[in-house]
Every structure is written in structure tokens, then in C-alpha cells.
Amino acid sequence: MANPISICKGTFVAQQDSVRCRQWHLEFRFWELTMDVNRLLKFDNAHPILTKVKSSLANLGYPQLNQIKCEQEGSTVVLKGELASFYMSQLAQTTVSKVPGVVRVENRVTVGPVV
């Protein structure tokens, strides 16, 4: 009696190989799920816009801008904090407005002496 034939990933394999194929498939699926979890831990997928906003501010090279708190409300980004100059406040607002996905920027940054 001939071995029954099953299909694994589009190729025909003998019955004894189908067990190995199922095992491989389960191991591969486990690996995929592990990679998905790792991506979630590494990147803030809940707020991808905020990640881009903070990165854009950091790339400007002004350490003061890293002190700004950013919050997301839908496609609106709210900037909060205190900066030493109006120029820095406007620079932050302009930079954030150019980030893809940001429709509106609320600049609640106060200008004054930073302690």
C-alpha cells in the first residue's frame, strides 16, 4: 500500500514528511509571532506620529527642544513645556507641522527664562 500524499506549502511530500512539515510550519508561525511582539516592544505603534515628532525635534540639534512634551489627540499634536525664546517655540511648531500624519499643531509652549 502506497503512502498517502499530503500538500505542504505547495509541494507534495510523503506522509512521514508531512509531520516534519507541520512541525516546521508551527515553528515558523511561532517565530513570526515572536517577531511581531518584538516590533511592538521596540516601537511605539500606539502613537506612531509621536515617535516621528520626537525624532524630528531631536534631529534639529537643539537640546532644549527635547524637553518639550508632545501629546497626540487624533491627528493633532499638542506641544507643552517652556523654552527660552520665541524662535525655539516657532521652530518646534514648524518642524512638527511638517511631520507626515500631523494635520494640526497646538503650540502651548510658554516662552520665558528656563530654570
Side-chain angles (χ1 to χ4, degrees), residues 26 32 75 77 107:
L26 290 174
E32 283 180 318
S75 58
V77 173
N107 191 348

Side-chain angles (χ1 to χ4, degrees), residues 73-112:
E73 298 171 3
S75 58
T76 300
V77 173
V78 180
L79 303 176
K80 296 179 181 180
E82 189 171 313
L83 291 171
S85 69
F86 183 72
Y87 168 76
M88 288 295 218
S89 174
Q90 288 301 301
L91 181 62
Q93 180 177 334
T94 303
T95 302
V96 170
S97 69
K98 294 177 181 176
V99 172
V102 174
V103 174
R104 185 169 167 246
V105 178
E106 281 188 36
N107 191 348
R108 298 182 189 166
V109 174
T110 56
V111 177

Side-chain angles (χ1 to χ4, degrees), residues 2 8 11 28 34 40 54 58 60-61 63-64 71 81 84 90 93 114:
C8 178
T11 61
F28 183 76
T34 304
L40 289 173
K54 291 176 184 176
L60 289 174
Q64 304 91 340
E71 297 174 1
Q90 288 301 301
Q93 180 177 334
V114 178

